Amino acid sequence: MILRNAQKTLVSLSNQFKAVAVIGPRQSGKTTLVRSVFSNKEYVNLENPDSRQFLMEDPRGFLAQYSEKGAIFDEAQRVPELFSYLQQILDESNKPGQYILTGSNNFLLQQNITQSLAGRIGYLTLLPFSIDEIKNQRPKTIDALLFKGFYPPLYDHKVETNFWFSNYIRTYIERDVRQLKTIENMFVFEKFLKLCAGRVGQLLNKNALALAVGVNNKTIEAWLGVLEASFIVFRLQPHHKNYNKRVVKMPKLYFYDTGLVCALLGVQNLNQLEFHPFKGSLFENMVVVELLKKQLNQGKSSNLYFWRNKTGNEIDVLIDNFNELIPIEIKAGKTITNNYFKGLKYWNNLTGYKGGKVIYGGEDYQKRSNNFEVIPLDLIDEKIKD
């Protein structure tokens, strides 16, 4: 089993809160992590129809079985009735870490927790593996890493990447999408999903998406909400502090895993990525998610933004540490050129900040005299500090 960087945070949350919710995409390793950390607790999968029926028909009798040691309830959002009864149990006890809930549907889980368990529960968002976690098993090249992605089953078992993602997409659409929203034409929704993959790392233009899919803007917003709630995509927001008035206000669209993007784009093998027009966007997506995982694994919310003005000057990522903004440029190329620092120099002149970081596809680390750092992919965890 690959040790997860979020394990320490999970243990800490269980010592502070009466219950802990571990949320994240399907197949991100939530069940494996919680069963490993809380091996003394009984595991209950609420996808199982027998367990689900017992809980729905006799919730008090069901929960009475776990009154002594607590339990792990997997896919807890499947049974909304659970949360009201848990509220009473948690209110009558002072023991921390009694119940561990997992869920791959953020909207439904949050909705139930907000109604019944607010203030009683700690949150941990677990995404697929980080580069640091698979450093001993990761593919040798960046193209192979982009193509394979980071979902744990692809590293735990010998399974062909294309087949796995094909089944993952089918399962996602048939189960999670239908659970969240009644969508009459699933073919159109799948077309929408693939069009989103073709816009990875770009400004999110919902009007253009609506025209391409053949639906209205309201539907596009609702479908984006479905993708976000099930941890398929997220929106990176522009930074709220404007250094001039002519700034872009639309968010950028990213996926939580590049392997899934490759599958949606129809990439059949990693060799096709070498000269693929989306390679730079895929690399940028991977780096942004790596920075996001670093925050989430510590139980923190995202502090990542981007900045871009109307004339095209841009910083790929701004890390907002409250008293400091750290600019980061992302370049897929392996050869360092002066062009890598163009955006950082513009930002320095505009804001008075000195320095910045470039994360690139090469192997050498450099610390330059103008306080610019050039960081290879493998050193993100070490060189990008909180």
Side-chain angles (χ1 to χ4, degrees):
M1 175 183 159
I2 296 175
L3 185 66
R4 301 305 300 264
N5 291 343
Q7 181 169 321
K8 183 179 178 181
T9 302
L10 178 58
V11 172
S12 176
L13 288 171
S14 70
N15 290 328
Q16 299 175 61
F17 293 90
K18 296 178 182 181
V20 178
V22 181
I23 58 177
R26 284 192 180 275
Q27 301 292 321
S28 66
K30 301 182 297 297
T31 302
T32 302
L33 176 61
V34 298
R35 294 191 75 173
S36 171
V37 173
F38 304 103
S39 55
N40 62 319
K41 294 185 184 295
E42 193 159 345
Y43 169 77
V44 184
N45 187 350
L46 294 176
E47 294 274 18
N48 182 300
D50 293 332
S51 298
R52 198 162 64 242
Q53 185 175 359
F54 182 9
L55 173 53
M56 293 169 66
E57 292 178 352
D58 184 9
R60 286 190 172 88
F62 177 86
L63 289 169
Q65 301 174 99
Y66 314 109
S67 59
E68 186 177 341
K69 292 184 178 180
I72 299 166
F73 295 132
D74 206 354
E75 296 299 338
Q77 80 279 347
R78 295 279 287 164
V79 190
E81 295 85 352
L82 168 69
F83 296 86
S84 296
Y85 288 93
L86 270 183
Q87 178 184 348
Q88 182 180 352
I89 293 172
L90 295 179
D91 286 346
E92 293 173 353
S93 172
N94 291 320
K95 290 193 298 183
Q98 286 178 265
Y99 292 96
I100 311 299
L101 313 177
T102 78
S104 55
N105 189 317
N106 193 26
F107 174 76
L108 294 178
L109 193 63
Q110 291 273 24
Q111 189 179 50
N112 289 314
I113 288 173
T114 301
Q115 291 173 356
S116 304
L117 301 179
R120 303 167 181 85
I121 193 164
Y123 286 94
L124 175 68
T125 301
L126 187 72
L127 298 182
F129 287 140
S130 68
I131 291 173
D132 179 63
E133 288 169 334
I134 58 168
K135 57 189 173 188
N136 296 322
Q137 296 186 31
R138 60 160 283 188
K140 294 180 180 179
T141 67
I142 288 176
D143 287 358
L145 189 59
L146 292 171
F147 178 72
K148 187 171 184 178
F150 297 86
Y151 281 99
L154 292 168
Y155 293 85
D156 295 338
H157 314 289
K158 289 185 177 179
V159 56
E160 191 170 325
T161 302
N162 281 330
F163 288 158
W164 190 88
F165 276 113
S166 176
N167 283 283
Y168 186 89
I169 294 166
R170 185 180 300 114
T171 302
Y172 163 68
I173 289 175
E174 290 176 357
R175 296 173 68 181
D176 290 2
V177 173
R178 291 187 190 279
Q179 189 180 353
L180 269 169
K181 194 167 186 66
T182 303
I183 297 175
E184 295 179 1
N185 193 329
M186 299 305 287
F187 174 79
V188 175
F189 182 84
E190 190 168 351
K191 177 184 177 183
F192 159 74
L193 183 58
K194 290 178 179 179
L195 285 169
C196 285
R199 287 160 170 76
V200 66
Q202 296 180 20
L203 294 175
L204 177 58
N205 187 329
K206 289 185 284 187
N207 291 330
L209 259 178
L211 287 171
V213 179
V215 297
N216 59 35
N217 280 29
K218 187 177 179 181
T219 299
I220 292 295
E221 181 58 40
W223 287 1
L224 284 168
V226 169
L227 296 183
E228 289 173 317
S230 44
F231 298 97
I232 299 296
V233 306
F234 65 97
R235 295 179 234 200
L236 187 68
Q237 298 295 333
H239 197 263
H240 47 78
K241 184 174 182 180
N242 297 340
Y243 289 93
N244 61 51
K245 294 180 180 179
R246 296 179 59 79
V247 294
V248 168
K249 296 182 179 179
M250 285 189 289
K252 282 186 173 185
L253 186 68
Y254 290 100
F255 278 66
Y256 281 106
D257 189 81
T258 57
L260 180 57
V261 181
C262 287
L264 290 167
L265 290 174
V267 178
Q268 296 296 309
N269 58 71
L270 64 92
N271 295 325
Q272 294 175 357
L273 281 178
E274 186 174 0
F275 301 108
H276 199 284
F278 279 59
K279 182 177 176 178
S281 298
L282 288 166
F283 183 81
E284 179 181 317
N285 193 138
M286 179 170 63
V287 172
V288 171
V289 176
E290 281 302 302
L291 296 172
L292 181 60
K293 288 172 185 174
K294 194 171 175 64
Q295 283 292 108
L296 299 180
N297 284 339
Q298 298 176 70
K300 300 176 182 177
S301 57
S302 174
N303 62 348
L304 307 180
Y305 302 87
F306 77 97
W307 180 88
R308 181 176 181 175
N309 66 12
K310 294 289 179 67
T311 57
N313 294 293
E314 182 176 18
I315 295 295
D316 292 326
V317 175
L318 279 177
I319 299 179
D320 189 343
N321 283 337
F322 182 69
N323 61 343
E324 181 185 29
L325 290 175
I326 302 173
I328 297 176
E329 284 285 83
I330 303 169
K331 304 294 182 183
K334 297 180 180 181
T335 304
I336 303 166
T337 69
N338 287 331
N339 191 51
Y340 281 16
F341 307 101
K342 182 181 177 182
L344 293 176
K345 289 176 180 177
Y346 183 90
W347 175 260
N348 284 190
N349 291 332
L350 181 66
T351 65
Y353 184 89
K354 295 182 179 179
K357 303 176 190 296
V358 175
I359 299 173
Y360 81 124
E363 298 179 357
D364 297 327
Y365 170 78
Q366 295 182 1
K367 182 82 179 274
R368 300 204 169 195
S369 57
N370 51 9
N371 210 28
F372 288 152
E373 280 186 276
V374 183
I375 303 170
L377 195 62
D378 288 342
L379 295 182
I380 288 179
D381 201 63
E382 176 185 337
K383 297 298 182 181
I384 307 292
K385 300 299 183 183
D386 298 333

